[in-house]
Amino acid sequence: MTSDGTPTERPATEEKIHLRTPRPASTLPAWMLDPPPPRRTLGGRIAQAFAALPGADRLRRRWWAWQDRERLYQRYPTAFKLVAMVVSWVLVMALVLLVYALYGQS
């Protein structure tokens, strides 16, 4: 390196620098190259009206926090499966007893 900070060595590769040729003009119509902005739909207008209400920001943040919470079946998968088995057994027995009672009426 020289005293002014420029390198004295030649680059490691001897590749030639090729200039890029300009791209040809596009054949797309003007409305595709510069499309109009999207129209506001009824749902978008309603959402904007609800967002303008007082307290909507806090409610939206609470909703996002509620959606991101960890569900019980994710925190306690084994306990949840055991409880689900007991509940399903109780429901099956209730249905069997109901069918038995209906056939016993005749």
Side-chain angles (χ1 to χ4, degrees):
M1 204 176 262
T2 61
S3 62
D4 64 348
T6 57
T8 57
E9 303 170 359
R10 298 186 74 185
T13 60
E14 293 293 328
E15 295 179 9
K16 292 184 178 180
I17 298 174
H18 298 284
L19 298 176
R20 264 191 275 168
T21 56
R23 290 185 175 176
S26 176
T27 58
L28 293 174
W31 65 270
M32 289 180 109
L33 291 173
D34 188 23
R39 292 186 303 176
R40 289 177 41 202
T41 61
L42 178 63
R45 290 179 183 155
I46 291 173
Q48 191 175 17
F50 278 125
L53 292 175
D57 294 341
R58 196 175 98 206
L59 182 64
R60 184 173 55 248
R61 284 192 298 272
R62 295 278 308 262
W63 174 257
W64 289 343
W66 187 76
Q67 290 295 316
D68 289 339
R69 79 190 194 286
E70 192 174 4
R71 309 311 199 269
L72 281 177
Y73 69 87
Q74 293 169 333
R75 278 193 281 173
Y76 309 107
T78 306
F80 194 83
K81 289 173 186 174
L82 290 173
V83 170
M85 284 179 58
V86 170
V87 168
S88 64
W89 183 80
V90 168
L91 286 175
V92 166
M93 292 309 295
L95 288 173
V96 167
L97 289 174
L98 179 68
V99 169
Y100 182 72
L102 288 174
Y103 278 115
Q105 285 184 354
S106 54

